[in-house]
């Protein structure tokens, strides 16, 4: 079993920055895929970025503004979000694919004011 605890969301003005963290505990495999998704009101949940073995993937809408990273010693994945836009407003969820089993965090709200 894996537990995910997210932190770092909040309210920020357009152009500002936030850093999200997601700490995983439990039976963690080193080669798992960790990532961030988001869901805005009335929209489907979408991939923001993910990382495994140092390989990263980003949604086109966040390329050049967001950076995903992970600390394997702490089983933690981060999402540095810069140049935030109002359209980035959403609940952000951490997701871990741990040996084929999927786990989701509880979500953290990010609100970007114009």
């Amino acid at each position: 079993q894996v537990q995910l605890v997210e932190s770092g969301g909040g309210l920020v003005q357009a152009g500002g920055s936030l850093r999200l963290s997601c700490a995983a505990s439990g039976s963690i495999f080193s080669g798992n895929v960790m990532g961030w998704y988001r869901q805005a009101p009335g929209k489907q949940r979408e991939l923001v970025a993910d990382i495994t073995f140092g390989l990263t993937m980003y949604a086109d809408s966040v390329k050049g503004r967001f950076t995903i990273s992970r600390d394997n010693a702490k089983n933690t994945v981060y999402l540095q979000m810069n140049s935030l836009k109002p359209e980035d407003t959403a609940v952000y969820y951490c997701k871990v694919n741990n040996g084929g089993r999927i786990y989701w965090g509880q979500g953290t709200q990010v609100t970007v004011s114009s």
Side-chain angles (χ1 to χ4, degrees), residues 1-2 24-34 52-53 70 72 75 96-101 103:
Q1 192 72 349
V2 173
S25 60
S27 300
I28 307 296
F29 298 113
S30 61
N32 58 29
V33 181
M34 303 183 80
T52 182
F53 290 117
R70 63 190 288 172
N72 289 328
N75 289 322
V96 173
N97 180 339
N98 194 53
R101 296 193 67 176
Y103 299 90

Side-chain angles (χ1 to χ4, degrees), residues 5-110:
V5 178
E6 300 158 352
S7 60
L11 172 64
V12 65
Q13 288 188 332
S17 298
L18 284 173
R19 188 192 194 208
L20 306 182
S21 298
C22 173
S25 60
S27 300
I28 307 296
F29 298 113
S30 61
N32 58 29
V33 181
M34 303 183 80
W36 291 95
Y37 285 68
R38 67 186 181 186
Q39 188 167 18
K43 295 187 177 181
Q44 290 188 330
R45 193 172 297 187
E46 62 177 1
L47 172 69
V48 176
D50 66 24
I51 182 169
T52 182
F53 290 117
L55 298 176
T56 59
M57 182 171 66
Y58 295 93
D60 288 342
S61 59
V62 306
K63 284 181 181 177
R65 300 188 298 122
F66 291 10
T67 302
I68 189 170
S69 61
R70 63 190 288 172
D71 184 334
N72 289 328
K74 297 181 179 179
N75 289 322
T76 299
V77 62
Y78 305 96
L79 186 68
Q80 178 67 43
M81 304 186 293
N82 299 327
S83 302
L84 281 161
K85 303 175 181 180
E87 51 263 43
D88 294 318
T89 295
V91 178
Y92 284 70
Y93 297 90
C94 174
K95 174 187 172 183
V96 173
N97 180 339
N98 194 53
R101 296 193 67 176
I102 304 298
Y103 299 90
W104 291 94
Q106 79 282 3
T108 185
Q109 177 71 45
V110 171

